[in-house]
Amino acid sequence: MQFAVLPVINEGSPSSTSSFEILDMESAPAPYQEVHPHWFFCRLAEDNRSWLPFSRDDSDKLEKACKTVGENEEDVVVAVDGERFDVHIKERKRYAVYWDQAPTEVRRCTWFYKGDKDTRFMPYPEDFSKSLEDAYMTAVTLGKWKTKLEFPSGETVILHNPKLIMQYQPVGLQDDWVTSPSEQNRPQTVKRGVDNISVDITEGEPEQVDHLVFMIHGIGPACDLRFRSIIQCVNDFRNASLSLLASHYKLAQQDGKIGRVEFLPVNWHSALHGDATGVDEDIQRITLPSISRLRHFTNDTLLDLFFYNSPTYCQTIVDTVASEINRLHTLFKQRHTAFKGAVSVVGHSLGSLILFDLLTNQRTDSEPRKRFASDEHHLLNCDTLEDTLTRLGLQQYLAKLQAESVDLESLGLCQDSDLKDLGIPLGHRKKILNYIRRKRLPECYKTGASCLASGIQVPTQTTSDQDSNQSAGLAKQQSQFNRTHSVTSAVDYEYFDVGIGQVSIDYPQLAFHPQTFFAIGSPIGMFLTVRGLKYIDPNYSFPTCKSFYNIYHPYDPVAYRIEPMIVTDVDPEPMLIPHHKGRKRMHLELKDSLTRMSIDLKNNVMGSLRMAWQSFARLPVVALPPVVEGETPVQRNLQETLGACEETNSARSAAQTVQPEIKMGMLNGGRRIDYVLQEKPIESFNEYLFAIQSHLCYWESEDTALLVLKEIYDKLGVAFEQPQQ
């Protein structure tokens, strides 16, 4: 970039610079040292551009790669941010690896500026920074300060001395809201090097990945009150886990025993509401025009609950979740070839129910594939690919599909993106996908045949009452989920899979066996109850996942418990999740202290009354008033009160001395399942006011992240360290 160098003659600095100039004249000029660059990437959020620094490790990798790239050589790709992004050095772009996201700009930054109203320094473009660096080198080498640099774009930079450099914007480029002359002439502060600005730069994430966790969102495209996507919320959860590893597993990290846990988001909402299903267009045609914003929110968010209970769209949701998890798992292993750790899954809200239904229908390696009796004949209800295309009036694509070796079975596995790559237009793609989706529904769902996960063919409604009773009894023995028969005449729940009200669809298989399933803010218990399930057999466990945690906030209106459905004879309190700082929150400790004080005070009063009554009872007989047959009401009431107090104290003492262990079945390997977070002090003032926030708090909850980390690293034999406060 070309610029003009002019001396500053009799021009006062925008602010007093005498102290800087005197200091500069008294000290010997420092020799010129080349500025150390740092790499930044741009983030766009609500039309606001902000520049964030890469970690020091990533910046060093980018700088090293930049020096090796020649003008005529191919572009070099550097993996950054835990290998979740790739940076193309020559292109200066940063691409997401695991999810769809527009590429962002990357800069090699050396010079920065900040206005009076700006909150952080912004980096100059690289060519502008190079021009500033050349002028700075000349001024330092020759000692020529108070130099004005005029750039072709109109900006003016004045180098007063090494510690005071200012930039003036041209009047034509001033912001529209700047009207006063004083604001127009207000300069911007210029700094050289990232060490001279206030910015938080991390060292970088450990390269070693100990565990992989997939996180599935609930209803709607937004996951918190700031309307952020699942990608942004998982980023927060990942950052919280990295911070907790550094504080609660510090020694293990220093000794190289552990690395980090990788969390990856799984997005199914965009596939459900995309062009492949066309559901948004269908809903929009029947939506009333009034209160449009509220109706749009309902269509885009709340209707996901109804879509999941529809066989057609439930199949789409489950297929999307399973295929996306498998795709991410394969891609992760390709990028982390040394990874030998286990994999867990986390589901929030409806996402936890999706995972629950998916995990109940997984098969172990030794189990054969369980198919509906009529699946083979009714998969597409056609003999050949040509018959299918002819029926749809799309026979012109027969040659194109055959050229790609696509037969009838392969066509049933195709997604919208596959057909799009073959050059098939949107309208014809929808027709093919809709036809396949309708024909893939099990024939037993259409005709009324009962299909259970055990593979037993239950007779239809036309059989005799005796046969029906025998088959129902057999089905009850096979299923470890126990429930009563539905009294709804319009729906026969025997037509649904697994006997727990799941929609009869073909549940796909995951490419791995999850180690642990974490449900956060989960309505699983409510859905199972509505489906007709009374209790869960203690011997039941997921076929391929042996650990299950139900984590919830006490004020979450969507969350429900699981343990009362397993243990019906007792009502155990949920396990209280410890605060990540190692103690109860202060208001909860105060509440417990007041409760203990009231109990102790009551015991002391009743103990004093008991001693007084015993002393009164030991008086000589002659001193007692004449006693008629029976006791007086006062004597009787006092004796009953003291007796009840003694029984209560005895029971409390027995409970404190003997705490029987509660067996919670095999859903979590005999361990507790329900875990409750501690509410914040401000939340305890009005639980209704924070109800919605309570359902969306888990993404930023350090207590939740720490519980997940403890479960993961306990299985790896890594000790937990409570930092000193």
Side-chain angles (χ1 to χ4, degrees):
M1 175 180 291
Q2 299 295 328
F3 60 92
V5 180
L6 302 174
V8 179
I9 302 176
N10 296 329
E11 180 173 342
S13 60
S15 60
S16 176
T17 61
S18 59
S19 60
F20 294 103
E21 294 171 355
I22 293 174
L23 178 62
D24 181 59
M25 289 186 294
E26 291 178 352
S27 60
Y32 171 78
Q33 294 181 351
E34 186 177 356
V35 63
H36 181 70
H38 195 92
W39 289 72
F40 282 66
F41 64 93
C42 182
R43 184 178 67 181
L44 295 176
E46 299 179 357
D47 299 330
N48 293 327
R49 286 170 59 91
S50 60
W51 288 87
L52 302 177
F54 285 101
S55 66
R56 298 191 186 276
D57 293 341
D58 288 342
S59 182
D60 292 341
K61 289 192 299 183
L62 293 171
E63 182 65 18
K64 182 179 180 180
C66 182
K67 294 179 179 179
T68 61
V69 176
E71 292 293 334
N72 300 324
E73 297 180 4
E74 296 183 357
D75 202 351
V76 175
V77 179
V78 178
V80 296
D81 292 334
E83 298 197 21
R84 295 181 296 274
F85 290 88
D86 284 337
V87 172
H88 295 237
I89 298 295
K90 295 184 67 175
E91 191 181 358
R92 291 296 197 266
K93 294 290 184 180
R94 172 176 171 264
Y95 292 87
V97 173
Y98 295 105
W99 52 80
D100 293 331
Q101 180 178 320
T104 56
E105 184 181 354
V106 171
R107 283 183 186 175
R108 180 178 180 267
C109 304
T110 54
W111 285 79
F112 305 85
Y113 68 93
K114 182 175 77 71
D116 290 343
K117 297 183 178 179
D118 296 333
T119 58
R120 63 178 65 185
F121 279 88
M122 302 286 287
Y124 281 110
E126 293 187 33
D127 56 349
F128 198 101
S129 296
K130 187 177 186 305
S131 300
L132 288 176
E133 184 64 21
D134 292 340
Y136 180 85
M137 180 180 63
T138 302
V140 171
T141 304
L142 302 179
K144 294 183 177 180
W145 295 102
K146 295 186 179 180
T147 304
K148 179 188 294 185
L149 309 178
E150 293 184 352
F151 291 85
S153 56
E155 291 90 349
T156 300
V157 177
I158 299 179
L159 283 70
H160 294 281
N161 58 55
K163 297 183 179 180
L164 182 62
I165 304 174
M166 310 299 292
Q167 175 193 338
Y168 297 85
Q169 288 288 104
V171 177
L173 297 180
Q174 294 290 337
D175 296 328
D176 296 336
W177 60 80
V178 178
T179 57
S180 64
S182 61
E183 290 187 3
Q184 290 182 354
N185 296 329
R186 188 169 296 167
Q188 293 179 333
T189 304
V190 179
K191 293 294 184 180
R192 177 179 180 264
V194 72
D195 295 334
N196 293 320
I197 65 174
S198 177
V199 60
D200 185 18
I201 302 178
T202 62
E203 292 298 327
E205 301 179 13
E207 294 185 1
Q208 175 186 338
V209 179
D210 304 320
H211 200 90
L212 175 61
V213 179
F214 295 110
M215 308 192 79
I216 294 86
H217 65 86
I219 61 174
C223 296
D224 64 359
L225 291 180
R226 287 178 280 176
F227 296 98
R228 297 186 303 166
S229 66
I230 177 65
I231 298 173
Q232 296 170 302
C233 291
V234 172
N235 287 342
D236 279 352
F237 199 89
R238 185 189 304 110
N239 292 335
S241 72
L242 291 172
S243 177
L244 291 170
L245 284 176
S247 59
H248 291 69
Y249 293 88
K250 184 176 181 179
L251 295 179
Q253 273 196 341
Q254 292 176 349
D255 296 339
K257 296 181 180 179
I258 65 172
R260 62 183 176 91
V261 177
E262 181 61 277
F263 297 87
L264 295 180
V266 177
N267 185 356
W268 55 265
H269 182 270
S270 57
L272 174 64
H273 294 266
D275 294 334
T277 61
V279 63
D280 285 359
E281 298 178 5
D282 298 336
I283 293 295
Q284 188 60 37
R285 287 199 302 268
I286 61 176
T287 301
L288 301 181
S290 59
I291 53 175
S292 58
R293 292 189 178 182
L294 179 58
R295 296 187 190 277
H296 174 74
F297 172 79
T298 302
N299 293 345
D300 203 32
T301 303
L302 299 181
L303 286 188
D304 289 348
L305 292 171
F306 300 97
F307 287 144
Y308 186 69
N309 287 281
S310 162
T312 301
Y313 298 110
C314 180
Q315 185 72 65
T316 301
I317 294 174
V318 172
D319 285 346
T320 301
V321 170
S323 62
E324 184 69 4
I325 290 177
N326 290 337
R327 181 188 71 84
L328 294 174
H329 180 256
T330 301
L331 184 57
F332 177 83
K333 295 190 70 175
Q334 290 174 354
R335 296 178 66 88
H336 298 80
T337 55
F339 176 73
K340 302 298 182 182
V343 184
S344 295
V345 290
V346 175
H348 175 247
S349 190
L350 182 61
S352 65
L353 180 65
I354 298 172
L355 285 175
F356 183 89
D357 291 342
L358 194 62
L359 291 177
T360 56
N361 287 276
Q362 295 298 292
R363 300 186 305 272
T364 59
D365 297 334
S366 60
E367 292 180 351
R369 175 172 172 81
K370 301 169 184 175
R371 301 184 59 91
F372 294 105
S374 54
D375 273 358
E376 294 293 338
H377 178 68
H378 293 282
L379 180 61
L380 289 176
N381 201 21
C382 283
D383 295 330
T384 64
L385 176 64
E386 183 177 0
D387 294 339
T388 302
L389 296 178
T390 302
R391 175 172 299 185
L392 297 175
L394 303 175
Q395 56 269 25
Q396 67 268 28
Y397 300 114
L398 178 61
K400 183 177 295 187
L401 293 173
Q402 290 178 343
E404 297 291 337
S405 300
V406 177
D407 55 11
L408 191 60
E409 183 178 359
S410 301
L411 183 65
L413 300 174
C414 285
Q415 299 181 356
D416 180 73
S417 58
D418 301 323
L419 300 178
K420 184 177 181 180
D421 293 339
L422 294 175
I424 301 178
L426 175 61
H428 293 169
R429 297 200 307 268
K430 284 188 175 183
K431 184 180 292 187
I432 294 175
L433 293 172
N434 184 59
Y435 181 82
I436 294 174
R437 185 173 60 248
R438 287 188 292 107
K439 292 300 181 181
R440 284 178 64 183
L441 292 179
E443 186 69 14
C444 63
Y445 178 78
K446 299 178 181 179
T447 60
S450 302
C451 301
L452 299 178
S454 58
I456 299 176
Q457 182 75 24
V458 182
T460 59
Q461 291 178 336
T462 58
T463 56
S464 63
D465 294 340
Q466 181 178 1
D467 293 338
S468 299
N469 294 335
Q470 292 176 354
S471 61
L474 182 59
K476 185 174 181 180
Q477 294 176 2
Q478 293 291 331
S479 176
Q480 289 178 314
F481 287 96
N482 299 270
R483 58 180 177 80
T484 59
H485 291 286
S486 172
V487 297
T488 306
S489 59
V491 179
D492 188 347
Y493 281 88
E494 292 293 339
Y495 294 166
F496 292 87
D497 204 2
V498 191
I500 59 170
Q502 293 176 343
V503 178
S504 182
I505 61 172
D506 186 13
Y507 285 92
Q509 300 298 301
L510 298 179
F512 56 90
H513 292 179
Q515 175 177 284
T516 308
F517 169 29
F518 299 94
I520 55 178
S522 173
I524 291 176
M526 181 270 293
F527 269 86
L528 294 181
T529 303
V530 171
R531 289 171 175 178
L533 184 66
K534 288 296 184 181
Y535 72 98
I536 301 174
D537 192 291
N539 295 322
Y540 177 79
S541 64
F542 296 119
T544 59
C545 181
K546 302 307 178 185
S547 297
F548 173 52
Y549 288 87
N550 182 40
I551 304 170
Y552 61 92
H553 191 282
Y555 301 155
D556 189 342
V558 181
Y560 290 82
R561 295 193 60 185
I562 296 294
E563 291 177 345
M565 301 186 69
I566 302 175
V567 181
T568 58
D569 52 345
V570 295
D571 187 17
E573 291 291 329
M575 295 291 292
L576 186 66
I577 299 177
H579 193 267
H580 65 280
K581 293 185 178 179
R583 55 179 295 174
K584 277 188 177 182
R585 294 185 183 271
M586 185 173 297
H587 70 288
L588 295 179
E589 290 187 344
L590 180 61
K591 181 180 178 180
D592 292 343
S593 299
L594 292 176
T595 302
R596 287 194 300 268
M597 287 176 58
S598 63
I599 294 177
D600 294 341
L601 181 61
K602 178 181 177 181
N603 292 339
N604 291 336
V605 171
M606 298 308 297
S608 300
L609 288 176
R610 185 186 307 107
M611 293 179 61
W613 172 255
Q614 292 174 351
S615 300
F616 179 74
R618 287 196 296 268
L619 291 176
V621 178
V622 296
L624 292 175
V627 179
V628 297
E629 185 178 359
E631 295 178 319
T632 64
V634 175
Q635 292 174 327
R636 187 182 302 110
N637 292 339
L638 186 57
Q639 287 180 342
E640 291 177 355
T641 302
L642 295 176
C645 181
E646 291 180 353
E647 293 177 0
T648 302
N649 291 336
S650 300
R652 184 180 295 111
S653 300
Q656 292 176 351
T657 55
V658 180
Q659 186 74 23
E661 184 180 358
I662 302 175
K663 299 293 185 180
M664 279 300 163
M666 299 307 298
L667 199 56
N668 193 25
R671 297 174 298 173
R672 297 295 301 272
I673 298 174
D674 292 337
Y675 284 77
V676 60
L677 292 167
Q678 302 180 38
E679 71 273 15
K680 298 178 181 179
I682 191 174
E683 294 173 343
S684 61
F685 287 105
N686 192 326
E687 57 190 45
Y688 293 96
L689 185 62
F690 294 93
I692 302 300
Q693 171 63 28
S694 299
H695 182 59
L696 306 173
C697 72
Y698 306 98
W699 307 109
E700 297 178 340
S701 171
E702 294 175 306
D703 298 346
T704 303
L706 184 57
L707 178 62
V708 173
L709 293 177
K710 289 176 65 177
E711 166 64 16
I712 291 173
Y713 283 106
D714 282 351
K715 285 183 166 58
L716 295 177
V718 179
F720 167 79
E721 311 161 20
Q722 185 62 51
Q724 298 293 330
Q725 299 298 326

